[in-house]
Amino acid sequence: MKVAQLVIGGDTAGGQIVALAVARAARARGDEVVFCSPSRGPFTRLVEAEGMPVFDIDVSRTFKLGGVLRLARELRRRRVDVLHTHGALASNVLSRVAGRAARVPVVSHLHIENHLPAARTRAGALRRLDNWSAGLAARILVVSEHTKRALEQQGYPAKRLEVVPNGVHVAYSGNSTGRSLRSELGIPDRTPLVLEIARLCDVKGQRELIDAVASLEGVYAVLVGEDLEQGGRYRELLEHRIAASGAASRIVLAGHRPDARALLEEVDIFALPSWIEGMPITVLEAMAHGRPVVATPVGGTGEVVVDGETGLLVPPHDSAALARALGELAADPVRARRLGEAGRRRVELHFSEDAMTRRILEVYDELAA
């Protein structure tokens, strides 16, 4: 079987991480995998380094109809058996049309619900177009019950939606001392260290996290991620906020880190105070590494983090509540470790990468039968 994975861009994000996990599992059983992307970046370089070809197709965030024709031609030319897409609204619509034109079944994998523009006329047109194109997909997978409900409310038929929760590999040693990261960044030993891994943008809650950590004497934070949407302007805004907070010595904007996930072994708390989410891979990875999570109950996050059992949930946009939760765990490392261990067990039981990839490969086989 030959599978094409279509991603929304060349940078590393949740959809790309899922696509790569599925691609590796497919190759392990003998399938051939190619990737399609509208841009190049760290993720596409990783894919090519693993021996999977990447071809450029611009069906991303805008409705570029030329991409439909090119994608359909490439699917036919490469004799693809299944097209698995990990996109947003525009790329979902266009890739479904391309798949139908090429007579290739499309697995449309939605990692978050659609967030339509405020203008009612345009939002209504996009909603109708997306709902229509959903009928062209052979299967529609969603990452959480929350996403499923949101798409049903938008107009997707409930019987077409299957929840396949995101999953990660559980590889927790529990032996890291954290000295490498602390030494590199000049963070004192035995001080509470908070980590966030996310692109730098409003909806990931970095401003609230900066304000919360600044109010907690002796607590340090490392924010890993790049400003992919505003060309560095949002990072500058955060830098000014850190400088004005009086906590510049305790809060680090670390940018892109190839070792981002390894850093989970070296911190005390993981935070993700997002405004919107699908089912965040970074939260699952933090839990898999036995780290307590402080997050917001948005999207599928509340299906992963059990408040008071595997982490703490706080309202979005509330830096004071975020500070209280971080402060509680920073002051009680025994409780923090207990929550982290419970989180690791929860991921192992309910959100494993093996379970996710196994179900998706079954979907491929059902379509090929």
Side-chain angles (χ1 to χ4, degrees):
M1 181 185 299
K2 190 170 190 177
V3 180
Q5 300 282 345
L6 187 148
V7 295
I8 201 168
D11 294 298
T12 303
Q16 285 89 328
I17 292 169
V18 169
L20 183 57
V22 177
R24 287 168 172 164
R27 293 183 82 200
R29 70 172 194 174
D31 293 344
E32 186 178 352
V33 181
V34 298
F35 274 78
C36 335
S37 175
S39 60
R40 297 298 179 114
F43 177 76
T44 52
R45 289 194 292 272
L46 172 61
V47 166
E48 289 181 318
E50 293 194 13
M52 289 176 277
V54 179
F55 60 95
D56 301 322
I57 294 289
D58 193 359
V59 286
S60 55
R61 298 180 186 273
T62 57
F63 287 91
K64 294 185 177 179
L65 298 180
V68 173
L69 300 176
R70 180 148 186 260
L71 178 56
R73 284 197 301 267
E74 287 292 334
L75 294 174
R76 287 193 294 264
R77 186 177 73 82
R78 295 172 183 266
R79 298 185 178 181
V80 168
D81 298 299
V82 175
L83 172 63
H84 187 171
T85 68
H86 309 263
L89 192 149
S91 63
N92 287 337
V93 171
L94 298 182
S95 59
R96 292 164 185 167
V97 173
R100 177 58 63 91
R103 296 183 179 179
V104 173
V106 176
V107 177
S108 192
H109 202 149
L110 280 73
H111 296 268
I112 195 168
E113 71 267 27
N114 293 316
H115 293 276
L116 298 169
R120 288 187 178 182
T121 302
R122 184 161 180 256
L126 290 174
R127 185 183 299 109
R128 289 189 294 273
L129 181 61
D130 186 46
N131 291 348
W132 166 79
S133 73
L136 303 178
R139 295 292 177 87
I140 303 174
L141 308 181
V142 295
V143 298
S144 69
E145 293 291 343
H146 171 89
T147 305
K148 181 175 184 287
R149 289 192 298 271
L151 290 169
E152 288 173 4
Q153 291 171 1
Q154 180 186 304
Y156 276 48
K159 64 182 180 181
R160 298 292 314 283
L161 301 173
E162 178 181 351
V163 177
V164 180
N166 285 342
V168 296
H169 180 58
V170 179
Y172 166 52
S173 70
N175 296 323
S176 175
T177 64
R179 289 175 185 163
S180 174
L181 178 66
R182 290 175 186 272
S183 175
E184 176 189 340
L185 299 179
I187 298 172
D189 290 342
R190 293 186 294 278
T191 54
L193 180 55
V194 179
L195 175 69
E196 182 187 39
I197 303 172
R199 71 184 190 277
L200 301 183
C201 61
D202 266 342
V203 299
K204 293 299 183 179
Q206 282 99 1
R207 289 188 294 184
E208 291 88 342
L209 182 56
I210 289 167
D211 293 347
V213 172
S215 71
L216 297 170
E217 189 66 33
V219 175
Y220 287 71
V222 176
L223 283 63
V224 172
E226 292 184 290
D227 179 358
L228 301 174
E229 298 169 7
Q230 296 189 33
R233 292 189 300 276
Y234 194 75
R235 182 188 173 99
E236 290 179 6
L237 182 153
L238 295 179
E239 289 171 343
H240 290 313
R241 197 178 194 93
I242 291 170
S245 74
S249 64
R250 296 190 286 112
I251 303 173
V252 178
L253 295 181
H256 172 70
R257 299 269 312 210
D259 62 343
R261 277 140 192 91
L263 299 182
L264 289 165
E265 291 278 344
E266 304 191 21
V267 302
D268 302 296
I269 303 165
F270 183 81
L272 189 68
S274 301
W275 305 355
I276 58 173
E277 281 293 348
M279 179 171 281
I281 290 286
T282 54
V283 165
L284 291 171
E285 289 179 330
M287 292 168 66
H289 282 78
R291 295 300 176 258
V293 172
V294 177
T296 47
V298 296
T301 306
E303 298 169 32
V304 176
V305 180
V306 180
D307 189 31
E309 294 183 20
T310 66
L312 299 177
L313 295 174
V314 300
H317 311 284
D318 192 336
S319 57
L322 180 60
R324 285 193 296 273
L326 293 173
E328 287 178 18
L329 296 185
D332 191 348
V334 173
R335 183 189 182 202
R337 283 194 295 272
R338 185 171 66 248
L339 295 177
E341 282 298 318
R344 185 185 63 81
R345 291 192 296 271
R346 180 166 173 76
V347 168
E348 196 168 33
L349 288 172
H350 302 291
F351 301 99
S352 73
E353 183 177 287
D354 286 346
M356 176 188 72
T357 57
R358 182 169 58 249
R359 177 54 195 145
I360 292 172
L361 294 182
E362 288 172 353
V363 169
Y364 293 172
D365 293 339
E366 291 164 7
L367 294 176

